[in-house]
Amino acid sequence: MKFLVSFLLSLSLVSLTACTKNTNELVIGEFASLTGNEATFGQSTNKGIRMALDEINAAGGIKGKKVKLITYDNQGKNDEVASVVKRLITQDKVLAIIGEVASARSEVAAHIAQQYKVPMISPSSTSPKVTAVGDYIFRVCFIDPFQGKVMAKFMIEHLKLKKVAILRDVKNQYSVGLADVFSKEVTSRGGEVLTDVSYQGEDVDFKAQLTQIKSKNPEAIFIPGYYGEVALITNQARQLGIKSVFLGGDGWDSNDLVKNSKKAANGSYYSNHYSTESTDPKVQDFIQKYKGKYSEVPDAMAALGYDAAKIMTAAMERVTEMTPEQIKNEIAKTKDFPGVTGNITLNDQRDAVKSAVVVQIADDARKFIINIAP
Amino acid sequence: MKNFKIPLFAYIGLLILGLALQFGLNAYIQILILQILMFSIAAMSLNLVNGFTGQFSLGHAGFMAVGAYTSAYLSQLLPGFLETTHVFGFFIFSVIAGLFASFFGYVVGLPSLRLKGDYLAIVTLGFGEILRVVLLNIEPLGGARGISGIVPYPEFGFLDRFWVSFAYISFWFLVCLFFLWRITRSRYGRQFMSVREDEVAALSLGLSTTKIKVSSFVIASFFAGVAGSIYAHLISIVTPTVFGFLMSVNIVVMVVLGGMGSFTGSIIAAAFVTVMPELLRSVQSVTGYDLRMIIFSLGLILIMIFKPNGLFGDKELPYFLSKLKRKKV
Amino acid sequence: MQDLIQHLINGLSLGSIYALIALGYTMVYGVLQLINFAHSDIYMMGAFASYYVSRWFNFEAHPGIVTLCMALLASMTACALIGVAVERFAYRPLRGSPKINILITAIGVSLFLQFGAQLIFGPNPKAFPTLIEDVALIETEFIVLKSLEVTVFVITLLALGVLHFLVYKTKFGKSMRAVSHNINTASVLGINVNKVIVLTFIVGSALAGVGSVLVGLKYPKIEPLMGVMIGLKGFVAAVFGGIGNMTGAVIGAMIMGLSEEFVVAYLSSTLRDALAFGLLIGILIWKPSGLLGKNTVEKV
């Protein structure tokens, strides 16, 4: 009995200390994959968000109050997402949440955010299931039903290739969705999907699947996965003597891809949210400031994180009363927002309707090839 | 009815405590307490196998997974059922989940409990992994995404969600505790322990050691399944990866740390293991998780070398209380 | 037909790596009757050791046999040292304790190494340097055999050859076989049992070190948890072939590598890991002592 009493006492003490709240700050929560297989996703997004919030705070904050960002690492694991998001909401009492890149993890978080009625903006999750969870969930990027068609259209019309093999990550909702859309679009445009094989996220050996693909002799291979596995896949494909061109989606966007693939990824194409070669002064301004602050070129995740943070703070500026519900209402009204990744308007499904760019990998640079509108 | 006096009073006491906790603590701590109770059930049930019967199961989380998915799937299949029956529906789901898990316990236990200790550990580990792969591939069970948006325990008038969850989970907590308590202090309990002490001697006394081992395994899996079903409705999301080797290890740590053979120990250790990562998280935002596992693994090694009996050995609370009483005199 | 040969090459390549790891498990089990859970993490440490050594001395700028050997040396040394430390501080104090305690300790050591590595090296994957040039030796339309694959085979065969020599042609090997037969009798006969055990750990861990460098070359992504899956499969291979039996370990590993390759190619990649456990459960139900029975350390 004594144990129980003292234990409960200490618990209540802990809860008391945790209850301090600085009412002069507006707290926003972030959950991200800062470590793990997709570490650059979270790290880049985080840098973009922090840069945006630093700019806001330097200009006086929102309604005179500074914005504070609390970030938790979900380590690239779906299971950690639930506990960190719950902690953000129940313990840190955030007003709103930004996160994540990986669609599966965003979906988990979305359920919790919707349940507790806290608005959430995903900067880069492209699976339609994320915003479908409820009216508190938004995103500032395009969705896979569009993205899948982009690469199919690019392959058939621009590269003029018809025979493609698909290698999808069956453990990844994003990959599966993107692969399905691509496959259907290719077929409807007169192309041919020679074979559709799968791997599992975190696999390291793909020789079996690649040998199967090689035997069908495709002109292109579509790999709608995350950069960690894509690096190994492209490397092993070249080891097996496969000469096909590689195509991918925004999951490829990482500065680690080329290095980890031992340059095998060079020459490949993938669809992305923005191009560093854009002539838009807003974009170049953003890139310069980012380079000055972090000594590296921002990838699409950083740019989207930046836009997401800016959209959220813009909404917070518009509310009459700083409550999660009002913030939610204002975010929903986002229209023609001049983002770094393009003009952002949120539609009825709370998705952004934007164009995609197709880039080609040339070592650390991404050559802009073409812009494809929805 | 006399047999049920203590548990009944304990339950009423907990219900009143629940009221205090509902209004006294913030949501975050409330969730922690519920998790502690849930993991206590898992730890106590594993203690029966590891501590009292001396067998080594490394796949306890797998049985939790069976229970969790069963409960989650049923609640999605029959949404109306839960609404009409309120909390009683959850109870039925938990029982079905437990039975299903104990069925798996039987299927896994029967062939493997004939093998040497090391092999059982590996086979139970393997079972957990195979289950993970199977769940990953069954689309109706959500595949890699798992099942999300599972119905949580409902509110009940002015008694909010926390109190209902607390009442429900502590019910099972007490059922598990008292059932295991009674059984280990009965004739059956002594059979379990005889297998632990010296299997050859037990065999020569005419005991069917395989049957004994299997029954402890089946009982343990039942409660693991119940714990799993609680998890499903508490956390509202189940994925194939969450019930992996690491969770099994966590439960093993709870049993070993608390003392193999002490249910009190399992409960205290469950609380410790559940709360510690949260405390560490506020201390170190990036490396919190890593620190926890390092401390746990180091703790495991040190406990095994210096204090293999864990915190409580095989003693329970009444033993310590009686020691205190004697001191006062 | 053509991809069949390529699949065979892939499978044998996979199998040889499993063999290097399985041998470590089987040797330690032979002398101590202990499943060294930490073996897979010692393996991982070797990969990181050679990674950092390669980085410090900039090996990637001079790929070739010499740098490869130096990287192997770094890995083997690191693995051997950690193996000895683990035996000395975690396993020796528990000699004679109940099996369950030793098993728990082994798990503790394994997790400690995994998460310790995460803390020290960072949890993100790192790109293993290219230590040897990968030129195509045979490049027909049907099969492609590149120098990297051949190197892996050659090194594995060398390692197995050295091991065979060690176990069957030296006095140490004889003492090791004696200890695995009966530890008490061996000590009565004057064999320094502790020394033999330490040397067994050194040899077993060094083999794992070789394996990890080869894996780093083939799949240039290393991370603190890389040992988990491959260690499990190596262990299953050892059990499949008969734990304690070195030939069995190699055969079991080859069977595992080949079946994994064919299952992934012709069935589904999702069954890749389940296959290992399927094999394990199968052999335990059908012939628990493994393919080659419960013999002690014998023919390779």
Side-chain angles (χ1 to χ4, degrees), chain A residues 35-37 39 43 170 198-200 203-205 207-209 211-212 214 232 236 238-240 243 260 262, chain C residues 3 6-7 10 123-125 127-130 134 139 144 146 149 219-221 261 264-266 269-270 272:
Chain A
T35 55
N37 254 355
Q43 287 165 12
V170 78
S198 70
Y199 65 93
Q200 298 182 80
D203 272 354
V204 286
D205 183 276
K207 293 262 175 75
Q209 296 96 322
T211 308
Q212 288 305 97
K214 183 178 175 201
L232 293 174
Q236 287 170 22
R238 293 292 180 239
Q239 273 185 23
L240 281 174
K243 307 263 191 286
N260 290 359
K262 308 271 179 221
Chain C
D3 30 303
Q6 184 68 55
H7 280 309
N10 295 344
N124 302 333
F128 198 79
T130 325
D134 196 17
E139 195 162 7
V144 176
K146 299 184 100 175
E149 206 75 85
Y219 317 112
K221 180 170 98 158
E261 173 77 10
V264 172
Y266 294 113
S269 67
T270 46
R272 157 170 258 144

Side-chain angles (χ1 to χ4, degrees), chain B residues 11-172:
Chain B
Y11 191 51
I12 296 178
L14 275 175
L15 288 180
I16 300 176
L17 178 67
L19 274 175
L21 294 177
Q22 170 184 322
F23 296 111
L25 297 174
N26 75 12
Y28 185 61
I29 309 252
Q30 289 177 343
I31 297 179
L32 270 183
I33 293 184
L34 295 175
Q35 285 188 325
I36 292 174
L37 287 174
M38 170 182 72
F39 277 115
S40 300
I41 300 179
M44 289 192 287
S45 53
L46 185 63
N47 206 340
L48 183 68
V49 173
N50 283 16
F52 286 90
T53 322
Q55 304 305 303
F56 196 29
S57 169
L58 275 180
H60 215 52
F63 298 114
M64 283 181 72
V66 170
Y69 266 86
T70 309
S71 206
Y73 187 67
L74 283 176
S75 67
Q76 300 221 316
L77 200 65
L78 311 162
F81 180 69
L82 280 177
E83 277 171 37
T84 43
T85 54
H86 292 290
V87 186
F88 201 61
F90 286 105
F91 177 75
I92 297 189
F93 284 168
S94 289
V95 170
I96 299 180
L99 288 173
F100 206 45
S102 55
F103 167 72
F104 272 89
Y106 185 75
V107 164
V108 172
L110 197 55
S112 33
L113 283 161
R114 293 198 206 119
L115 304 168
K116 282 196 301 196
D118 305 355
Y119 286 120
L120 176 66
I122 298 301
V123 167
T124 47
L125 177 81
F127 161 70
E129 287 297 301
I130 291 189
L131 190 66
R132 181 178 59 85
V133 173
V134 165
L135 286 172
L136 210 61
N137 285 303
I138 300 185
E139 267 317 302
L141 289 179
R145 274 173 17 251
I147 305 181
S148 45
I150 306 173
V151 182
Y153 298 110
E155 293 131 348
F156 196 68
F158 77 95
L159 299 161
D160 75 5
R161 187 157 283 161
F162 167 73
W163 189 88
V164 175
S165 315
F166 185 78
Y168 183 73
I169 299 178
S170 30
F171 168 76
W172 277 112

